[in-house]
Amino acid sequence: MNLYDLRDSIDNNDVGKEMYGLIEELYPICRSITGNGARQSLDILKKHIPLTIQEIPTGTQVFDWTVPKEWNIKDACIKNSKGDKVIDFQDSNLHVVNYSVPIRKEMTLAELKDHLHTIPEYPDWIPYRTSYYKETWGFCLSHNQFLKLEDDDYEVLIDSSLKDGHLAYGEYYLSGRNGDEILISCHICHPSLSNDNLSGIAVSTFLAKYLSSLSLKFSYRFLFIPGTIGSITWLSLNESNVSKIKHGLVLACVGDSGRYTYKKSRLGNAEIDRIVMNILKHSGEENKAIDFSPYGYDERQYCSPGFNLPVGCFMRTPYGEYPEYHTSADNLDFVQPGYLAASFSILLSILSVIESNDRYLSLNSKCEPQLGRRGLYDHLGGKAGSKARQLAMLWVLNLSDGNHTLLDISDRSGLDFSLIKNAADSLTDSGLITVMDKR
Amino acid sequence: MNLYDLRDSIDNNDVGKEMYGLIEELYPICRSITGNGARQSLDILKKHIPLTIQEIPTGTQVFDWTVPKEWNIKDACIKNSKGDKVIDFQDSNLHVVNYSVPIRKEMTLAELKDHLHTIPEYPDWIPYRTSYYKETWGFCLSHNQFLKLEDDDYEVLIDSSLKDGHLAYGEYYLSGRNGDEILISCHICHPSLSNDNLSGIAVSTFLAKYLSSLSLKFSYRFLFIPGTIGSITWLSLNESNVSKIKHGLVLACVGDSGRYTYKKSRLGNAEIDRIVMNILKHSGEENKAIDFSPYGYDERQYCSPGFNLPVGCFMRTPYGEYPEYHTSADNLDFVQPGYLAASFSILLSILSVIESNDRYLSLNSKCEPQLGRRGLYDHLGGKAGSKARQLAMLWVLNLSDGNHTLLDISDRSGLDFSLIKNAADSLTDSGLITVMDKR
Amino acid sequence: MNLYDLRDSIDNNDVGKEMYGLIEELYPICRSITGNGARQSLDILKKHIPLTIQEIPTGTQVFDWTVPKEWNIKDACIKNSKGDKVIDFQDSNLHVVNYSVPIRKEMTLAELKDHLHTIPEYPDWIPYRTSYYKETWGFCLSHNQFLKLEDDDYEVLIDSSLKDGHLAYGEYYLSGRNGDEILISCHICHPSLSNDNLSGIAVSTFLAKYLSSLSLKFSYRFLFIPGTIGSITWLSLNESNVSKIKHGLVLACVGDSGRYTYKKSRLGNAEIDRIVMNILKHSGEENKAIDFSPYGYDERQYCSPGFNLPVGCFMRTPYGEYPEYHTSADNLDFVQPGYLAASFSILLSILSVIESNDRYLSLNSKCEPQLGRRGLYDHLGGKAGSKARQLAMLWVLNLSDGNHTLLDISDRSGLDFSLIKNAADSLTDSGLITVMDKR
């Protein structure tokens, strides 16, 4: 079974529910760039795919960075003078600034306020904040909660630990017919956030799961890593093998209702860039391609000038462009099975193109071959117009000069890639064209 | 006399009438890709230009194709049980599917219907259908005629023959000062259809006729060939000389009232493509350039990847984009002398550019030469603006660095090519520039 | 002090008034391409900058041209039969066609009319006309004055001289750290015209004056020359040094209220072209870039094919595009200090980019360096959006691969050049990037 067969045989409804179910399971866990939350999440993924989990010790030098201390948290709260918990980590793990150092202290409201974060514009939402590289502590709360805080003496408790340990990430390598690699990367470091984080994890996991049963040309490497420090660590440890990566995608924010957004690689016109734009154009769905910028997800590292890999970022609504981004409103309602499944299906189409974007050579390059006597052409001529399938064959024949890939032909003709691919298959079967450099 | 002089001396009104007269003469003949209809048509053209007629035997292998049997037809009709001719080939040669095998048979209406073709959307029009490469027979009729057919026994007669013979085409070679060739190609295989077929034949014939009296730089090759099999045959027989073709145009559908349409060569930016677009842009007429696609007229063969010739297709309304296309409504009313003459005039302008698109070298490349003392510039300075002719001279001087053709200068300056050409002539006469690589 | 410091320390209001004051002083003088008017004007400029004045003898051969005779004028008038001066050179030096030969003669109105020039569309304005290269004489007057001329005998007097002498121009060379030159050129040959001529002189003079106190990378050459013959003369005399000119601007029409217009060099994509367009785009002011054409100011000569220098023309409303152009209405009201100052400020920004458009090399090309521990990044992560300064640093790091100048980075990121330059300075100070090929 190849990718096209898979795409056609899958029930999107089922896949959407499976991915949403995984998100529900992962949602309550308090993840961070290190610690047991990430480990626990990777263990859940192992129920679906045979993930290898790497543990990198604190203090490991990775390019300009150092693997930080491992952070873990058991509980946290703010109690008023009556002993009531006015803020409770058990209600939402967003309440604690991620990577907060342990504290147990009494303080006035004025002292406390220096450590509180809210979003006045959305008074019901809790913001998500981190402080990985400066040791501090803090609480996040809704602005309405904040306004209710009375002038009082408060007891602040954060039962966390920040100690030498490890950074954990998951890796799954699926071997294809050749050693050239496709990289699929997602971040696993956010706590209870659905679209930014969990949607990418779910879609990556099920892509890996479904692809594992196929006969594939390329090898696929799936990375489940903490943002920034994770990709830097992986690149540092795998520097010598990076040149095998021929195409790559960072997946994030793929479960919301927004239009598709593709952020191009730094190269700007890599094959992956052209493939994603081709598929989105023919998808019938609203979409937008944006140029690379060095702000975003782990494409920042893959596209740093010393690597400059052909890795783009596939999203629906991008980071920072929806108000729910990095707040408690990016919850289980914000992503839906149908949106996850639609993203999944588009990604299968993208991978199908990667797998089959070959160049062909016409064996009748001087004038058209006679399609009619091979049963490939309507016998009754004179009718205005022509069928798309016949037109696709004429395009493939005309551009199979050794210089054009099927993607080139689809782009130039404006015809759907799968129509072009089918035409190429028919013409190959008829002995009219032959594939070049079959891998 | 050169092409510019010709264009200025011609009375468009007269040429339009001449071309229309030729169309009227050719219209009644039942042409096909082989047979006496084509021969009879070529004989009529010989009254205007000394055409060479080539006869290629049935069975000749031409690339992937074989020259088919020769088809001829004397008569055809459908009679009802009373002996009335309900469909009569003598009324319109479109009534018979072109290349129908002979038949004489009685049948019921139900049996007959499998062999009838109509256009329900245009119930008064007879469609044009062919079946060159599958032996069958059929009748085309208006949908209104079809609806009047009663349940009856019908006698079907097609007095045709399909036998070994020849494929005939016409060729006219006009020798210029150098051996580089301009190809003008039109198809001659359609029966009573005016715009698609006869308009191209008429304009090609009169281009050839008028050009034959001129002193020309390039050699011109005019082909009057059956569509597809004709160009394939010609290319197969002339493969070794094809590299002489430097520019080419397929002419078709040049007599209707629609805007001009130029379909670019497969190369997309060949000199002929740029020339036609330049002329159309400055023509003041509505026009549209479209990219090459491998569906259309004989540019499909000239632009097959093994040849990839710089041949575009010059049309008014393109094939398949007017409802009358390939129907009895593409008749003598659908084309008009004025439209033919306008197309003819545009083509003369295009050929004028081809003939004179030289590069020049300024003999004063450092700073402008002093035009005033040579009588080429207004003496009284200070007036706002400048005359187009002076501006054209400044452009030619500035870009005559050996890298720019006059077309480049026209394109970059936005000035009409003939204005640029005049300026180059004046500057040459004054000894300020000199033509390079004069051919 | 560098250019950025200068731009920030200057009071635009003061500079605007200084430049306007210079225009007021120069306005009454009757300048031409030769003669004492130009000399007197250059002497006034010497009060601001240590100009070198060159005197080139009549008859000197300069490429295709010859330095003309020197023209001087003392007085001119037309008197009616009663002895009243109906046209008086003392009222406006535009009244005499520039370069008119001496004449003292009586004539009828009919004879006189052949030598009179008016603008009927603007009946109150006197046109500006010249006749440098054909010996003739004439008067310019408002159309209303013209209509009042009665049928009478007139005495015509032009007390001018046209004799062997010199062509004078001014040159100021400001030596920088390297010998590569920036050319700033303006024309000085127009009589009482403010925007076309004096505005360019004033802005060039004060650019030179302010730059003279700075530490500069490039050397700057300011030319104050008569139009056409002046630049041809200078190029002819300095041909061997022209290759030192790396960027150049012709300044003209920079004092009116119109939007900025930048006419690109003949190269079209020279660094100066990209710099000016970048600065104008970020200026927040209305602006338009137009392609090079060989009609205009002295860029015609600098961009002649034998030189093809990277010299553009910086204007507000271009020559010929405002009705006041080359008329008495281009007067002291038509230019204003504020517009002069705004042009001046834009030019300082342009020169700032030229001075600092270096390429840098990131010393951490594999993955981003950790900005946080160097105090260059916000510690508290998770907040949506990012500050422009941080984004600028990420862009500089990402594109400091040895292939991109700061202008490239500004263009690609869409961020203001000065923001990019500041980021590059901070990153250099932190040892994260290093400048390449420091000049």
Side-chain angles (χ1 to χ4, degrees):
Chain A
M1 184 147 93
N2 67 24
L3 261 160
Y4 279 103
D5 304 329
L6 173 67
R7 198 189 53 182
D8 296 344
S9 69
I10 275 183
D11 181 322
N12 269 359
N13 218 13
D14 291 350
V15 183
K17 282 179 190 159
E18 287 181 298
M19 292 188 288
Y20 190 78
L22 176 58
I23 289 174
E24 287 180 310
E25 191 176 356
L26 293 167
Y27 184 74
I29 300 168
C30 181
R31 277 164 295 273
S32 183
I33 56 172
T34 62
N36 293 323
R39 264 181 214 104
Q40 191 182 340
S41 301
L42 293 170
D43 283 340
I44 290 171
L45 303 188
K46 282 182 89 167
K47 293 190 283 182
H48 297 278
I49 48 174
L51 217 52
T52 304
I53 296 176
Q54 312 282 357
E55 296 272 356
I56 314 302
T58 297
T60 305
Q61 189 69 23
V62 288
F63 296 121
D64 191 53
W65 300 62
T66 308
V67 173
K69 289 179 185 165
E70 182 174 327
W71 183 70
N72 281 291
I73 183 165
K74 285 189 192 138
D75 201 3
C77 64
I78 300 174
K79 286 185 194 164
N80 63 15
S81 59
K82 296 176 206 153
D84 300 332
K85 290 186 181 179
V86 293
I87 300 296
D88 188 348
F89 176 72
Q90 302 307 328
D91 294 338
S92 167
N93 56 41
L94 297 179
H95 273 319
V96 173
V97 169
N98 208 287
Y99 252 68
S100 282
V101 294
I103 188 165
R104 176 185 290 268
K105 196 177 170 189
E106 290 196 21
M107 58 184 72
T108 63
L109 180 58
E111 287 172 285
L112 179 58
K113 275 186 174 175
D114 288 345
H115 293 267
L116 299 183
H117 306 278
T118 71
I119 317 170
E121 299 91 326
Y122 295 96
D124 288 330
W125 298 355
I126 309 164
Y128 160 57
R129 294 287 178 271
T130 67
S131 185
Y132 302 137
Y133 299 102
K134 185 181 178 191
E135 297 197 357
T136 183
W137 63 269
F139 280 85
C140 300
L141 62 166
S142 76
H143 202 64
N144 284 337
Q145 287 177 307
F146 176 80
L147 294 175
K148 282 185 199 141
L149 293 179
E150 292 173 1
D151 210 4
D152 196 359
D153 289 321
Y154 289 93
E155 185 189 353
V156 168
L157 166 78
I158 299 180
D159 182 7
S160 67
S161 65
L162 190 59
K163 297 178 183 168
D164 283 357
H166 293 80
L167 175 153
Y169 67 81
E171 187 165 8
Y172 175 48
Y173 181 74
L174 196 50
S175 184
R177 288 193 298 282
N178 70 43
D180 288 345
E181 291 185 16
I182 314 299
L183 179 74
I184 306 288
S185 176
C186 63
H187 62 291
I188 57 158
C189 50
H190 290 22
S192 295
L193 295 169
S194 289
N195 197 38
D196 179 12
N197 199 37
L198 295 179
S199 69
I201 296 172
V203 170
S204 296
T205 302
F206 280 85
L207 274 179
K209 184 174 187 174
Y210 279 96
L211 258 62
S212 65
S213 62
L214 304 184
S215 163
L216 296 164
K217 178 160 77 178
F218 284 96
S219 298
Y220 287 75
R221 187 175 298 279
F222 293 86
L223 296 184
F224 299 84
I225 51 177
T228 306
I229 187 66
S231 51
I232 292 170
T233 299
W234 187 86
L235 284 163
S236 176
L237 298 176
N238 295 275
E239 191 176 347
S240 62
N241 286 319
V242 156
S243 64
K244 290 182 186 163
I245 298 173
K246 301 307 178 197
H247 319 278
L249 288 174
V250 169
L251 302 186
C253 304
V254 288
D256 66 292
S257 64
R259 69 171 171 197
Y260 293 101
T261 304
Y262 178 63
K263 178 180 169 181
K264 294 185 228 178
S265 75
R266 182 180 185 267
L267 295 160
N269 199 27
E271 192 175 337
I272 184 68
D273 300 326
R274 296 182 50 220
I275 289 173
V276 177
M277 291 189 284
N278 178 293
I279 289 296
L280 287 177
K281 182 183 160 195
H282 287 95
S283 69
E285 304 284 331
E286 254 198 292
N287 68 81
K288 186 182 182 186
I290 57 175
D291 285 330
F292 176 78
S293 80
Y295 187 76
Y297 292 109
D298 288 312
E299 68 279 6
R300 290 164 65 158
Q301 312 310 327
Y302 301 128
C303 297
S304 56
F307 290 113
N308 202 21
L309 294 174
V311 174
C313 181
F314 183 85
M315 301 169 277
R316 283 170 167 272
T317 310
Y319 44 85
E321 296 192 9
Y322 49 101
E324 296 85 353
Y325 175 76
H326 279 193
T327 76
S328 57
D330 182 0
N331 58 23
L332 289 171
D333 292 331
F334 190 67
V335 303
Q336 290 299 327
Y339 304 133
L340 291 163
S343 298
F344 183 83
S345 177
I346 294 274
L347 285 160
L348 282 188
S349 295
I350 290 167
L351 298 181
S352 301
V353 176
I354 293 178
E355 288 277 318
S356 56
N357 189 26
D358 291 309
R359 290 178 300 147
Y360 289 79
L361 201 59
S362 169
L363 303 176
N364 295 273
S365 72
K366 292 186 173 174
C367 297
E368 294 169 7
Q370 195 178 359
L371 296 178
R373 65 176 162 92
R374 294 175 176 90
L376 299 173
Y377 211 77
D378 259 7
H379 288 292
L380 193 73
K383 285 191 282 183
S386 89
K387 292 176 195 149
R389 183 173 153 70
Q390 288 181 20
L391 193 53
M393 282 192 286
L394 293 175
W395 272 110
V396 172
L397 285 165
N398 191 274
L399 293 179
S400 286
D401 55 5
N403 296 320
H404 297 87
T405 63
L406 295 186
L407 178 69
D408 294 332
I409 301 175
S410 171
D411 280 348
R412 183 154 170 186
S413 67
L415 299 175
D416 196 89
F417 184 90
S418 59
L419 190 64
I420 294 291
K421 167 69 175 153
N422 283 341
D425 288 345
S426 296
L427 293 167
T428 304
D429 291 346
S430 297
L432 290 171
I433 63 173
T434 184
V435 72
M436 295 175 70
D437 52 59
K438 186 74 181 180
R439 291 169 289 193
Chain B
M1 185 147 91
N2 68 23
L3 262 161
Y4 279 104
D5 304 329
L6 173 67
R7 199 189 53 180
D8 295 343
S9 69
I10 276 184
D11 182 321
N12 269 0
N13 219 11
D14 291 348
V15 184
K17 282 178 191 159
E18 288 181 297
M19 292 188 288
Y20 191 78
L22 177 58
I23 289 174
E24 286 179 309
E25 192 175 357
L26 294 167
Y27 184 74
I29 301 168
C30 182
R31 278 164 295 275
S32 182
I33 56 172
T34 63
N36 293 324
R39 264 183 215 103
Q40 192 183 338
S41 302
L42 293 170
D43 283 342
I44 290 172
L45 303 189
K46 282 182 90 166
K47 294 190 283 182
H48 297 277
I49 48 174
L51 217 52
T52 304
I53 296 175
Q54 312 282 357
E55 297 271 356
I56 314 300
T58 297
T60 305
Q61 188 71 22
V62 287
F63 295 121
D64 191 54
W65 301 60
T66 308
V67 173
K69 288 179 185 166
E70 181 174 327
W71 183 70
N72 281 292
I73 183 164
K74 287 189 191 139
D75 202 2
C77 65
I78 301 174
K79 287 184 193 165
N80 62 17
S81 58
K82 296 176 205 153
D84 299 334
K85 289 186 181 179
V86 294
I87 299 297
D88 189 349
F89 176 72
Q90 302 306 327
D91 294 339
S92 168
N93 57 39
L94 297 179
H95 272 319
V96 173
V97 169
N98 208 289
Y99 252 70
S100 282
V101 294
I103 188 164
R104 177 185 289 267
K105 195 177 169 190
E106 290 196 21
M107 58 184 72
T108 64
L109 179 58
E111 287 172 286
L112 179 59
K113 276 187 173 174
D114 287 347
H115 293 268
L116 298 183
H117 305 279
T118 71
I119 316 171
E121 300 89 327
Y122 294 97
D124 288 329
W125 299 355
I126 309 165
Y128 161 58
R129 294 287 178 271
T130 68
S131 185
Y132 302 137
Y133 299 102
K134 186 182 179 190
E135 296 198 359
T136 184
W137 63 269
F139 281 84
C140 300
L141 62 166
S142 77
H143 203 63
N144 284 337
Q145 286 176 309
F146 176 81
L147 294 175
K148 281 186 200 139
L149 292 179
E150 292 172 3
D151 211 3
D152 196 359
D153 289 321
Y154 289 94
E155 187 191 351
V156 167
L157 166 76
I158 299 181
D159 183 7
S160 67
S161 66
L162 191 60
K163 297 177 182 168
D164 282 356
H166 292 80
L167 175 152
Y169 67 81
E171 188 165 7
Y172 175 47
Y173 180 75
L174 196 50
S175 183
R177 289 193 298 281
N178 70 43
D180 287 345
E181 292 185 13
I182 314 299
L183 179 74
I184 306 289
S185 176
C186 63
H187 62 290
I188 58 158
C189 50
H190 290 24
S192 295
L193 295 168
S194 290
N195 197 39
D196 180 12
N197 199 36
L198 295 180
S199 69
I201 295 173
V203 170
S204 295
T205 301
F206 280 84
L207 273 180
K209 185 174 186 173
Y210 279 95
L211 259 61
S212 65
S213 63
L214 304 185
S215 163
L216 295 163
K217 177 159 77 178
F218 284 96
S219 298
Y220 287 75
R221 188 175 298 278
F222 293 86
L223 296 183
F224 299 85
I225 52 176
T228 305
I229 186 67
S231 51
I232 292 170
T233 299
W234 186 86
L235 285 163
S236 175
L237 299 175
N238 296 277
E239 191 177 347
S240 62
N241 287 320
V242 156
S243 63
K244 290 181 187 163
I245 297 171
K246 301 307 177 197
H247 318 279
L249 287 175
V250 170
L251 302 187
C253 304
V254 288
D256 65 292
S257 63
R259 69 170 170 198
Y260 293 101
T261 304
Y262 178 64
K263 177 180 168 181
K264 294 184 228 178
S265 75
R266 182 179 185 268
L267 294 160
N269 199 26
E271 192 176 335
I272 184 68
D273 300 326
R274 294 182 50 221
I275 289 173
V276 177
M277 289 189 285
N278 178 293
I279 290 297
L280 288 177
K281 183 183 159 194
H282 286 96
S283 68
E285 304 284 331
E286 253 198 293
N287 67 81
K288 185 182 183 186
I290 57 177
D291 285 331
F292 176 79
S293 80
Y295 187 77
Y297 292 110
D298 288 312
E299 69 278 5
R300 290 163 66 157
Q301 312 309 327
Y302 302 127
C303 296
S304 57
F307 291 113
N308 202 20
L309 294 174
V311 174
C313 181
F314 184 86
M315 302 169 277
R316 281 168 169 275
T317 310
Y319 44 86
E321 296 194 6
Y322 50 100
E324 297 85 354
Y325 175 77
H326 280 192
T327 76
S328 56
D330 182 359
N331 57 23
L332 288 171
D333 292 332
F334 190 67
V335 302
Q336 290 300 327
Y339 303 132
L340 292 162
S343 298
F344 183 82
S345 177
I346 294 275
L347 285 161
L348 282 189
S349 294
I350 290 167
L351 299 181
S352 301
V353 177
I354 291 178
E355 287 279 318
S356 56
N357 189 26
D358 291 311
R359 290 177 299 148
Y360 291 78
L361 201 60
S362 170
L363 304 175
N364 296 272
S365 72
K366 291 186 174 174
C367 298
E368 293 169 6
Q370 195 178 359
L371 297 177
R373 65 175 162 93
R374 295 175 175 90
L376 299 173
Y377 211 77
D378 260 6
H379 288 293
L380 193 73
K383 285 192 283 184
S386 90
K387 293 176 193 146
R389 184 174 153 70
Q390 287 181 20
L391 193 53
M393 281 192 287
L394 293 176
W395 272 109
V396 172
L397 285 166
N398 191 275
L399 294 179
S400 286
D401 55 4
N403 296 319
H404 296 89
T405 64
L406 295 186
L407 178 69
D408 293 332
I409 301 175
S410 170
D411 280 348
R412 184 154 169 185
S413 68
L415 298 175
D416 195 89
F417 184 89
S418 59
L419 189 64
I420 294 292
K421 166 69 175 153
N422 284 340
D425 288 345
S426 295
L427 292 168
T428 304
D429 292 345
S430 296
L432 290 173
I433 63 173
T434 184
V435 72
M436 295 175 71
D437 51 58
K438 186 75 182 180
R439 291 169 290 193
Chain C
M1 183 145 93
N2 68 24
L3 262 160
Y4 278 103
D5 303 328
L6 174 67
R7 197 188 54 181
D8 295 344
S9 68
I10 277 183
D11 181 322
N12 270 359
N13 219 12
D14 291 348
V15 183
K17 283 178 191 161
E18 287 181 297
M19 293 189 287
Y20 190 78
L22 177 58
I23 289 174
E24 286 179 310
E25 190 176 357
L26 293 167
Y27 184 74
I29 300 168
C30 182
R31 278 163 295 274
S32 182
I33 56 172
T34 63
N36 292 325
R39 265 182 214 102
Q40 192 183 339
S41 302
L42 293 170
D43 282 342
I44 290 172
L45 303 189
K46 282 181 90 168
K47 295 190 280 181
H48 297 279
I49 48 174
L51 217 52
T52 304
I53 295 175
Q54 312 282 356
E55 295 272 356
I56 314 301
T58 297
T60 305
Q61 188 70 22
V62 288
F63 295 121
D64 191 53
W65 301 62
T66 308
V67 173
K69 288 181 186 160
E70 181 173 328
W71 183 71
N72 282 292
I73 183 164
K74 286 187 193 140
D75 201 2
C77 65
I78 301 173
K79 288 186 192 163
N80 62 18
S81 59
K82 296 177 207 153
D84 300 333
K85 290 187 181 178
V86 294
I87 300 296
D88 188 348
F89 176 72
Q90 303 306 328
D91 294 339
S92 167
N93 56 39
L94 297 178
H95 274 318
V96 172
V97 169
N98 207 290
Y99 253 67
S100 282
V101 294
I103 188 164
R104 176 186 290 266
K105 197 178 170 189
E106 290 197 20
M107 58 185 70
T108 63
L109 179 58
E111 287 172 286
L112 179 58
K113 276 187 172 174
D114 287 345
H115 293 268
L116 299 183
H117 306 277
T118 72
I119 316 170
E121 300 90 326
Y122 295 96
D124 288 330
W125 299 354
I126 308 165
Y128 161 58
R129 294 286 178 270
T130 68
S131 185
Y132 302 136
Y133 299 102
K134 187 181 179 192
E135 296 198 358
T136 184
W137 62 269
F139 280 84
C140 300
L141 61 166
S142 77
H143 202 64
N144 284 336
Q145 286 177 309
F146 176 81
L147 294 175
K148 283 185 200 142
L149 292 179
E150 291 172 3
D151 211 4
D152 195 358
D153 289 322
Y154 290 93
E155 186 190 353
V156 167
L157 167 77
I158 299 181
D159 183 6
S160 67
S161 65
L162 191 59
K163 297 178 180 165
D164 282 356
H166 294 81
L167 175 152
Y169 67 80
E171 188 165 7
Y172 174 46
Y173 180 75
L174 195 50
S175 183
R177 288 193 298 281
N178 70 43
D180 287 346
E181 291 185 15
I182 313 300
L183 179 73
I184 306 289
S185 177
C186 62
H187 62 291
I188 58 160
C189 50
H190 290 24
S192 294
L193 295 168
S194 290
N195 197 38
D196 179 12
N197 200 35
L198 295 180
S199 70
I201 296 172
V203 170
S204 295
T205 302
F206 280 85
L207 274 179
K209 184 174 186 172
Y210 279 96
L211 259 60
S212 65
S213 62
L214 304 184
S215 163
L216 296 163
K217 177 159 77 178
F218 285 96
S219 298
Y220 287 74
R221 189 175 297 280
F222 293 85
L223 296 183
F224 298 85
I225 52 177
T228 306
I229 187 66
S231 51
I232 293 170
T233 299
W234 186 85
L235 285 164
S236 175
L237 299 176
N238 295 277
E239 192 176 347
S240 62
N241 286 320
V242 155
S243 63
K244 290 182 188 162
I245 297 172
K246 301 306 177 198
H247 318 278
L249 288 174
V250 170
L251 302 187
C253 304
V254 288
D256 66 292
S257 63
R259 69 171 169 197
Y260 293 100
T261 304
Y262 177 65
K263 177 180 169 182
K264 294 184 228 178
S265 76
R266 181 179 185 268
L267 295 160
N269 200 26
E271 192 176 336
I272 185 67
D273 300 326
R274 294 182 51 220
I275 289 173
V276 178
M277 290 190 285
N278 177 293
I279 290 296
L280 287 178
K281 182 183 160 195
H282 287 95
S283 69
E285 303 284 332
E286 254 199 293
N287 67 82
K288 186 182 182 188
I290 57 177
D291 285 330
F292 176 79
S293 80
Y295 187 76
Y297 291 109
D298 287 312
E299 70 279 5
R300 289 162 68 159
Q301 312 310 328
Y302 301 126
C303 296
S304 56
F307 290 114
N308 202 21
L309 294 175
V311 174
C313 181
F314 184 86
M315 301 169 277
R316 281 170 169 273
T317 311
Y319 45 86
E321 296 193 7
Y322 50 101
E324 296 85 355
Y325 175 77
H326 279 193
T327 77
S328 56
D330 181 0
N331 57 23
L332 289 171
D333 292 332
F334 190 66
V335 302
Q336 290 300 326
Y339 304 133
L340 292 163
S343 299
F344 183 83
S345 177
I346 294 274
L347 285 160
L348 282 189
S349 294
I350 291 167
L351 299 181
S352 301
V353 177
I354 292 179
E355 287 278 319
S356 56
N357 188 26
D358 292 309
R359 290 177 300 148
Y360 290 78
L361 201 60
S362 170
L363 303 175
N364 295 272
S365 72
K366 293 186 173 173
C367 298
E368 294 168 6
Q370 195 178 0
L371 297 178
R373 65 175 161 91
R374 294 176 175 91
L376 300 172
Y377 211 77
D378 260 6
H379 288 293
L380 193 72
K383 285 191 282 183
S386 91
K387 293 175 195 149
R389 184 174 154 71
Q390 287 181 19
L391 193 53
M393 282 192 286
L394 293 175
W395 272 109
V396 172
L397 285 166
N398 191 275
L399 294 179
S400 285
D401 55 5
N403 296 319
H404 297 87
T405 63
L406 295 187
L407 178 68
D408 293 332
I409 301 175
S410 172
D411 280 349
R412 183 154 170 185
S413 67
L415 298 176
D416 196 88
F417 184 89
S418 58
L419 190 64
I420 294 292
K421 166 68 174 152
N422 284 341
D425 288 345
S426 295
L427 293 167
T428 305
D429 291 346
S430 296
L432 290 172
I433 63 174
T434 184
V435 72
M436 294 175 71
D437 52 58
K438 187 74 181 180
R439 292 169 289 194

